[in-house]
């Protein structure tokens, strides 16, 4: 994909946002920012940094992005920390903590040079805070997950490092933690011109559906795109679908990663297959990790998009669907409650029965779906697209330097 510039976003974001970005950027001309995370490829943070970093640079800042290098022991440890931050029971050993700290020591040269602002993305690079005195600027920790259910063993290991920063940033105000630093809130964003979200041509649309074996015509489609994870409640969605289908003809598509390398994902997929029981109206699609255009086209094919999560950090799949003007039925949890405003930008549902009733309403009344979808797209355009995210970053950087 070609490197996009600020002007390319003018049509989607509006010229006022782009102008504001340029003005905020002017105040930060030459201000040096170092983003640090732990992977160049894969995952939402890397995806957003690939598009955010060049735009921040274009706005006038001096932007660098460094990646912490670690061995398999380190990544096993940080995977456990990640699970623990999400509230899953984990066993944290002394060896894990040592591997974490040793990796920070090995990477200390990343922060040897002075920067006006060092941004630590997620928890993996937080150990670098031990070397903070070597660089004179401010430090910011950006927590990209919902830490409300973090287990103590993990939280109390990481919290002193987060406290060694000047500022922490969480996606939502309700994710605030008791840290002795300034806290700000900034939701994530989707890249509206990426393969996952850009407009698609008719040819692309039909050819992708053909490859996926999805009928472009026929009964209405209910879709959920999500990793096969119990917290996304795919089984509950199948139950809701079966209730809806008692009244009307429709289909369900559940699309997610193949779950080959995720033992828990594979077990959830087994449960999903059991619940689906070879129902010809239910399609389970195992997608490769780079299936961006496929996800885009599936979301466009859907008549209703569901996100029946039991818990959700932010819920970018809902953002993506709303961006495509689709009516979304979602549980009002985490970021979904901020995106899917009941009866305004979508419909809320807490239980299987409520989900079925809301989906049924939308299938019975496509005009309602169109109205909610249009409002949903505008809500995303104003709040959750990349240029808005960049503007929020620049406002925040100006603020912490004032
Ligand atoms: N996604 C994907 N392939 C899949 C399932 C999900 O590329 O098989 C993408 C999805 O389009 C979204 C992101 O992964 O951009 C998931 O983000 P979300 O916040 O919805 O949930 P998470 O997986 O982070 O809990």
């Amino acid at each position: 994909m070609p490197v996009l510039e600020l002007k390319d976003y003018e049509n989607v974001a509006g010229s006022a946002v782009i102008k504001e970005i340029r003005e905020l950027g002017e105040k930060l001309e030459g201000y040096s920012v170092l983003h640090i995370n732990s992977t160049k490829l894969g995952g939402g943070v890397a995806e957003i940094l690939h598009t955010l970093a060049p735009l921040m640079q274009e706005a006038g800042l001096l932007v660098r992005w460094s990646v912490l290098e670690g061995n398999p022991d380190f990544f096993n440890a940080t995977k456990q920390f990640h699970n623990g931050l999400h509230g899953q029971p984990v066993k944290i050993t002394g060896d894990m903590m040592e591997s974490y700290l040793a990796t920070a020591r090995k990477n200390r040269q990343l922060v040897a040079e002075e920067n006006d602002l060092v941004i630590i993305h997620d928890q993996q690079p937080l150990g670098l805070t031990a070397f903070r005195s070597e660089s004179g600027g401010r430090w910011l920790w950006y927590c990209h997950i919902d830490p409300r259910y973090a287990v103590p063993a993990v939280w109390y290991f990481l919290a002193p490092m987060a406290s060694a920063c000047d500022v922490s940033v969480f996606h939502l105000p309700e994710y605030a933690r008791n840290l002795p630093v300034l806290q700000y809130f900034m939701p994530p964003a989707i890249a509206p011109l990426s393969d996952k979200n850009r407009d698609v041509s008719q040819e692309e649309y039909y050819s992708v559906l053909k490859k996926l074996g999805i009928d472009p015509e026929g009964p209405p489609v209910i879709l959920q795109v999500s990793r096969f994870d119990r917290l996304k409640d795919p089984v509950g969605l199948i139950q809701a679908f079966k209730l809806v289908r008692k009244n009307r003809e429709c289909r369900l598509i559940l699309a997610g990663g193949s779950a080959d390398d995720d033992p828990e994902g594979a077990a959830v997929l087994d449960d999903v297959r059991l619940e689906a029981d070879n129902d010809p109206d239910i399609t389970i699609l195992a997608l490769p990790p780079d299936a961006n255009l496929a996800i885009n086209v599936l979301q466009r094919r859907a008549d209703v998009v569901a996100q029946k999560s039991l818990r959700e950090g932010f819920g970018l799949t809902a953002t993506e669907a709303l961006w495509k003007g689709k009516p979304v039925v979602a549980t009002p949890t985490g970021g979904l409650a901020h995106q899917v405003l009941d009866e305004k930008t979508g419909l809320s549902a807490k239980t299987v029965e409520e989900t079925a009733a809301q989906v049924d309403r939308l299938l019975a009344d496509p005009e309602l779906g169109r109205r909610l979808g249009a409002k949903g797209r505008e809500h995303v355009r104003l709040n959750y697209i990349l240029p808005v995210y960049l503007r929020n970053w620049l406002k925040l950087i100006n603020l912490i330097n004032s």
Side-chain angles (χ1 to χ4, degrees):
M1 211 170 107
V3 177
L4 295 167
E5 298 177 3
L6 279 171
K7 66 172 168 42
D8 298 317
Y9 290 92
E10 215 154 319
N11 278 344
V12 280
S15 46
V17 173
I18 305 299
K19 186 163 168 266
E20 208 182 339
I21 289 173
R22 294 198 196 280
E23 284 166 5
L24 288 162
E26 252 171 47
K27 293 191 206 153
L28 293 165
E29 190 70 45
Y31 184 90
S32 58
V33 171
L34 172 63
H35 291 276
I36 306 178
N37 79 326
S38 61
T39 172
K40 208 71 195 186
L41 277 181
V45 175
E47 201 173 303
I48 201 96
L49 282 176
H50 275 293
T51 40
L52 178 75
L55 293 183
M56 213 179 230
Q57 172 88 21
E58 190 191 333
L61 291 77
L62 294 176
V63 181
R64 286 189 302 133
W65 170 14
S66 296
V67 175
L68 190 82
E69 278 179 27
N71 58 22
D73 282 347
F74 170 76
F75 285 109
N76 284 334
T78 56
K79 174 84 191 177
Q80 292 306 307
F81 294 168
H82 177 84
N83 290 344
L85 279 177
H86 271 291
Q88 289 172 22
V90 285
K91 187 162 167 21
I92 305 301
T93 64
D95 282 352
M96 288 178 184
M97 296 189 223
E98 184 39 47
S99 156
Y100 183 90
L101 298 172
T103 303
R105 284 195 294 278
K106 277 190 205 130
N107 282 272
R108 63 189 292 173
Q109 81 290 346
L110 294 182
V111 292
E113 248 179 63
E114 216 168 280
N115 287 283
D116 293 317
L117 181 65
V118 174
I119 301 174
I120 303 285
H121 290 274
D122 278 335
Q123 43 87 20
Q124 297 88 343
L126 265 179
L128 290 171
T129 49
F131 309 104
R132 176 172 179 174
S133 57
E134 293 172 30
S135 125
R138 293 185 194 254
W139 282 51
L140 180 155
W141 179 46
Y142 194 176
C143 176
H144 290 269
I145 64 166
D146 170 5
R148 278 177 297 180
Y149 310 92
V151 298
V154 173
W155 183 255
Y156 288 114
F157 176 62
L158 296 171
M161 303 177 217
S163 305
C165 297
D166 302 283
V167 171
S168 42
V169 181
F170 296 90
H171 281 162
L172 302 174
E174 49 269 45
Y175 296 172
R177 300 299 314 207
N178 194 11
L179 288 169
V181 298
L182 272 176
Q183 290 184 49
Y184 296 100
F185 307 99
M186 195 162 61
I190 56 164
L193 304 179
S194 68
D195 278 345
K196 202 182 280 173
N197 295 303
R198 67 172 169 80
D199 292 341
V200 299
S201 67
Q202 291 274 82
E203 293 76 36
E204 282 175 315
Y205 180 80
Y206 287 107
S207 102
V208 170
L209 285 181
K210 192 165 175 205
K211 266 190 221 141
L212 293 171
I214 303 292
D215 185 356
E217 318 298 334
V221 166
I222 303 149
L223 168 76
Q224 178 163 294
V225 176
S226 274
R227 292 178 293 107
F228 289 102
D229 183 317
R230 292 192 203 289
L231 291 177
K232 310 284 183 186
D233 200 17
V235 168
L237 182 58
I238 293 176
Q239 291 163 350
F241 167 75
K242 287 181 177 169
L243 292 177
V244 178
R245 203 191 34 189
K246 281 188 182 164
N247 298 338
R248 61 182 72 254
E249 225 192 334
C250 53
R251 296 208 175 122
L252 174 67
I253 301 176
L254 293 170
S258 69
D260 281 350
D261 57 347
D262 174 3
E264 217 174 278
V268 176
L269 199 49
D270 286 346
D271 290 352
V272 165
R273 294 213 168 100
L274 207 64
E275 190 69 37
D277 195 21
N278 290 320
D279 189 321
D281 291 334
I282 302 178
T283 306
I284 300 163
L285 284 177
L287 300 173
D290 59 351
N292 294 329
L293 190 60
I295 290 175
N296 188 342
V297 167
L298 283 170
Q299 286 165 334
R300 288 176 195 282
R301 169 67 181 90
D303 295 272
V304 175
V305 172
Q307 196 58 54
K308 199 185 165 317
S309 307
L310 305 175
R311 204 191 279 168
E312 191 64 73
F314 186 73
L316 285 170
T317 47
T319 329
E320 291 156 9
L322 292 170
W323 176 244
K324 286 148 197 139
K326 295 296 168 176
V328 176
V329 175
T331 330
T333 178
L336 292 175
H338 292 251
Q339 302 186 63
V340 181
L341 309 174
D342 194 27
E343 307 287 339
K344 292 191 181 110
T345 62
L347 296 177
S348 284
K350 286 189 180 139
T351 60
V352 166
E353 290 73 22
E354 282 176 23
T355 303
Q358 298 290 47
V359 169
D360 194 62
R361 263 179 81 194
L362 289 166
L363 294 183
D365 184 358
E367 184 43 41
L368 170 67
R370 271 191 288 279
R371 223 171 36 240
L372 294 170
K375 291 236 172 74
R377 179 177 162 96
E378 185 60 3
H379 185 52
V380 168
R381 194 181 76 79
L382 293 175
N383 296 290
Y384 309 121
I385 56 171
L386 184 69
V388 173
Y389 187 62
L390 171 62
R391 182 198 60 196
N392 293 346
W393 264 114
L394 298 179
K395 274 189 179 170
L396 177 63
I397 297 173
N398 271 301
L399 187 67
I400 61 181
N401 285 291
S402 56

